[in-house]
Amino acid sequence: MGGKSFLLGVLTLAVLLLAAASEGAEPTSSCEAVRKVFQLRRLGPLGGVPESPRAGVDLQVCTSKNPTCCTKKMEERYQTAAKQDIQQVLQTSSATLKFLISHNAAAFQENFEMLLRLAENYTSTLFCNAYRTMAAEATVHVHEFFTDVGLFLFGTDVSTEEFVNRFFDTLFPVVYNHVINPGPSDISLEYAECLRVARRDIRPFGNIPKKAIGQMGRSLLPSRTFLQALNLGIEVINTTDHLHFSKDCSRALLRMQYCPHCQGLTLSKPCMGYCLNTMRGCLADLAEVDLHWRGYIQSLEELSGALSRAHGIEHGLLNFHSLVHDALGQARINGPELSEQVNKICGPPVRKPKQSPGCSSDQNKDNQGLKMFSRDSEETLASRRKEFIGHLHLYRAFYGGLADQLCGNELAAADGLPCWNGEDVVRSYTHRVVGSGIKAQSENPEVKVKGKDPVISQIIDKLKHIIQLLQGKSFPKYDKWDLQQTGSGGGVDEQISGDCDDEDGCGGSGSGEFKRVMKITDCKSMILFSSCI
């Protein structure tokens, strides 16, 4: 019985709308329906809504030759509601996209944090297992180093060369005290400072620090940029979700959504063409984002593909302990020669009572819990990137078709039904429908668009910049990076084309692992890789 009543109601409404379409909107004799909707929407005090139609001489937008159920105060409240309605529709339409990016940004950051913990534990364990007497001192510097790595990875403006050199600078006094020239007591703080400052001249670790700078920079920078890009994607959506509507657009939205209420037509919807003209006018700036949003997604796809074909952050971080192992081995082998150099620069060791504690018995406690993460971590990150990019690709045309999507899914009347054209309920909209984008709005009969929104122009500039970063053009004159996987030698050996030879330790070691080659045609302009200079 209830279903029959509902169907009868729908048929009655359709008959009424068809009648209105054929004869125009007849003057309403009561404002009861308007009052109910006004109260339901909580647009203001019900006392301000007329009980019966009146002359609307004070109305600015919802003008009509017929008596009206609106007052000037109602018109103002309707205009506020119209803008809020569209902002809500915008936010709803982008909610899935925003969740996709923010959820994956958080997941990638969490994975990177786990990698950092694991890499730090690997490096600390190296000292506990092989250099137990200096482990407690060394692990302090290891922790400081991976803190710097995390700061760089998550966006802080620090240099990989700076924090890698700082690590080896602070490590040298510890290694000298316990490996190169151990004694019954520790070296003094002043002597340790002399060693720290002299490390780059003495070069106790050979070319290992230089290799570490290259390896860290090249393995961290793409992932850092990837995270920056995801965070910018969230910023773009937040910005467009809270678009500022011009005065002319606000009036057009009012005319489209609430002016029919003034004539008692609370159930009418705008004609499709009318809705498209209004929304394409109001969202003209967002259509300008389209080209750059497509470029943003394409660049993310390209970087993700390059990372999948080459060693990434997992390789760089989880192999750092191997570089430290090699550095310590080199210092131990060259101990006598290094002692002579130190004596020339800092003089004979000045010692103090020995205070160096041994390795903590629970140094390895976290390793057991993290080993499962290390297993197949590279494949896990690669598959997550691939899945994320696949979903993101579906939104590449999001901003180009936003007005059409909103009208088609939410706002406009279905084809064939009577609809509101801005003045009356009609069978069809007769004005020309303009295209998307600012230039196309010059002939828009519903909305006048005057220039570009500076906030949207700023977000477009940010998209242009992140596209440059994603393409490897991170710095002036820095050409697109070429991450490729080759089968020529050691897993930690990295090459910077044009400024690295076998003497620098960039050649393969014959271990059968892959190495990453990053071709840089002009590395002199680089900041993070200033070792190229």
Side-chain angles (χ1 to χ4, degrees):
M1 190 72 179
K4 290 182 179 179
S5 300
F6 174 75
L7 181 60
L8 182 62
V10 172
L11 290 173
T12 303
L13 174 62
V15 170
L16 290 172
L17 290 175
L18 284 170
S22 59
E23 302 176 9
E26 293 293 333
T28 181
S29 59
S30 170
C31 297
E32 185 60 28
V34 179
R35 288 170 62 85
K36 286 182 178 179
V37 174
F38 196 85
Q39 184 178 32
L40 185 66
R41 291 293 313 276
R42 297 181 179 179
L43 299 179
L46 195 58
V49 184
E51 294 185 2
S52 58
R54 54 181 282 282
V57 293
D58 56 346
L59 300 183
Q60 300 294 312
V61 179
C62 300
T63 56
S64 172
K65 61 180 181 294
N66 298 322
T68 177
C69 288
C70 287
T71 64
K72 188 174 187 298
K73 192 68 175 177
M74 285 175 65
E75 190 179 51
E76 292 171 357
R77 293 183 181 276
Y78 276 146
Q79 181 159 310
T80 300
K83 290 191 291 185
Q84 291 175 345
D85 289 350
I86 295 303
Q87 281 195 334
Q88 182 61 50
V89 171
L90 282 173
Q91 291 168 20
T92 301
S93 68
S94 67
T96 304
L97 172 59
K98 183 177 178 179
F99 176 79
L100 173 67
I101 298 177
S102 59
H103 174 72
N104 277 277
F108 282 117
Q109 179 162 331
E110 183 180 356
N111 281 339
F112 293 159
E113 288 170 350
M114 287 289 287
L115 277 171
L116 285 168
R117 284 181 57 202
L118 187 60
E120 180 178 343
N121 282 0
Y122 277 2
T123 310
S124 296
T125 300
L126 164 68
F127 287 99
C128 281
N129 291 343
Y131 301 92
R132 195 172 185 85
T133 58
M134 67 172 178
E137 290 179 79
T139 52
V140 171
H141 304 308
V142 170
H143 178 71
E144 290 172 349
F145 171 75
F146 281 101
T147 297
D148 287 335
V149 172
L151 289 172
F152 173 80
L153 184 59
F154 300 130
T156 302
D157 188 19
V158 296
S159 160
T160 52
E161 179 183 31
E162 179 183 333
F163 64 71
V164 171
N165 272 327
R166 183 162 57 244
F167 170 71
F168 285 105
D169 288 347
T170 56
L171 185 62
F172 179 42
V174 182
V175 173
Y176 178 86
N177 191 36
H178 294 276
V179 177
I180 298 173
N181 191 6
S185 58
D186 291 335
I187 57 174
S188 67
L189 293 177
E190 294 78 9
Y191 197 79
E193 176 64 14
C194 180
L195 292 174
R196 188 192 67 79
V197 173
R199 196 275 303 174
R200 300 182 202 189
D201 294 324
I202 298 174
R203 301 178 73 240
F205 307 119
N207 286 305
I208 300 297
K210 185 175 182 180
K211 289 173 63 177
I213 290 168
Q215 177 176 308
M216 279 290 144
R218 289 186 295 276
S219 64
L220 295 176
L221 183 58
S223 293
R224 166 191 164 106
T225 306
F226 191 80
L227 274 183
Q228 285 178 322
L230 299 194
N231 289 326
L232 178 62
I234 298 169
E235 182 183 349
V236 170
I237 297 168
N238 284 336
T239 301
T240 56
D241 275 355
H242 299 87
L243 182 68
H244 171 73
F245 297 115
S246 67
K247 182 178 180 180
D248 201 75
C249 166
S250 299
R251 293 165 67 93
L253 292 175
L254 165 61
R255 188 180 301 110
M256 181 179 79
Q257 293 179 267
Y258 286 102
C259 282
H261 289 217
C262 297
Q263 299 184 32
L265 304 170
T266 56
L267 297 176
S268 68
K269 281 193 167 187
C271 303
M272 178 60 75
Y274 174 50
C275 180
L276 288 174
N277 275 342
T278 302
M279 296 309 297
R280 286 177 179 176
C282 286
L283 304 183
D285 282 293
L286 298 196
E288 298 296 317
V289 176
D290 177 56
L291 176 65
H292 310 287
W293 182 256
R294 289 173 183 268
Y296 163 79
I297 292 181
Q298 181 180 345
S299 298
L300 270 173
E301 290 174 351
E302 291 173 356
L303 177 57
S304 180
L307 287 172
S308 297
R309 295 188 297 272
H311 285 308
I313 183 174
E314 307 89 342
H315 179 80
L317 290 177
L318 299 182
N319 281 275
F320 181 73
H321 72 284
S322 296
L323 285 179
V324 176
H325 178 271
D326 293 345
L328 295 173
Q330 189 160 339
R332 186 177 60 235
I333 292 171
N334 298 325
E337 179 184 337
L338 292 173
S339 290
E340 290 184 14
Q341 288 182 270
V342 167
N343 287 340
K344 290 178 182 178
I345 297 175
C346 298
V350 178
R351 298 191 178 271
K352 62 179 182 178
K354 202 168 188 68
Q355 296 177 342
S356 301
C359 181
S360 172
S361 60
D362 62 349
Q363 189 73 50
N364 301 329
K365 64 180 180 180
D366 287 337
N367 277 1
Q368 299 303 318
L370 291 171
K371 280 185 178 177
M372 288 302 295
F373 174 80
S374 67
R375 197 171 302 160
D376 300 326
S377 62
E378 189 162 351
E379 290 79 1
T380 301
L381 278 172
S383 62
R384 176 178 281 279
R385 271 195 307 265
K386 183 177 180 181
E387 181 182 3
F388 164 64
I389 292 296
H391 288 306
L392 187 63
H393 183 78
L394 301 176
Y395 292 91
R396 63 194 181 281
F398 176 75
Y399 284 105
L402 190 54
D404 302 54
Q405 175 191 331
L406 297 184
C407 288
N409 296 345
E410 301 275 348
L411 302 174
D415 289 341
L417 291 182
C419 54
W420 175 256
N421 70 352
E423 297 178 354
D424 210 343
V425 174
V426 296
R427 290 188 178 276
S428 62
Y429 182 70
T430 56
H431 290 297
R432 175 192 173 190
V433 179
V434 301
S436 299
I438 291 178
K439 289 184 179 179
Q441 305 315 305
S442 59
E443 298 181 19
N444 192 324
E446 309 299 341
V447 185
K448 292 180 181 178
V449 178
K450 303 174 183 178
K452 297 180 179 180
D453 183 335
V455 175
I456 300 300
S457 296
Q458 185 180 43
I459 211 69
I460 287 175
D461 288 340
K462 289 185 178 183
L463 280 171
K464 289 178 180 178
H465 178 64
I466 203 67
I467 289 170
Q468 295 288 310
L469 294 178
L470 288 168
Q471 292 176 347
K473 301 171 183 177
S474 307
F475 306 99
K477 301 180 182 178
Y478 174 32
D479 291 340
K480 183 173 182 176
W481 52 41
D482 179 17
L483 300 175
Q484 59 185 1
Q485 186 167 285
T486 63
S488 59
V492 297
D493 290 337
E494 307 285 346
Q495 180 171 347
I496 301 179
S497 297
D499 191 43
C500 196
D501 51 32
D502 292 337
E503 186 174 307
D504 289 329
C506 295
S509 64
S511 67
E513 292 185 346
F514 289 102
K515 73 173 182 178
R516 291 175 63 210
V517 179
M518 182 178 181
K519 295 181 180 177
I520 304 171
T521 57
D522 184 2
C523 67
K524 289 185 178 180
S525 61
M526 297 183 66
I527 299 172
L528 296 177
F529 302 116
S530 55
S531 60
C532 293
I533 299 174

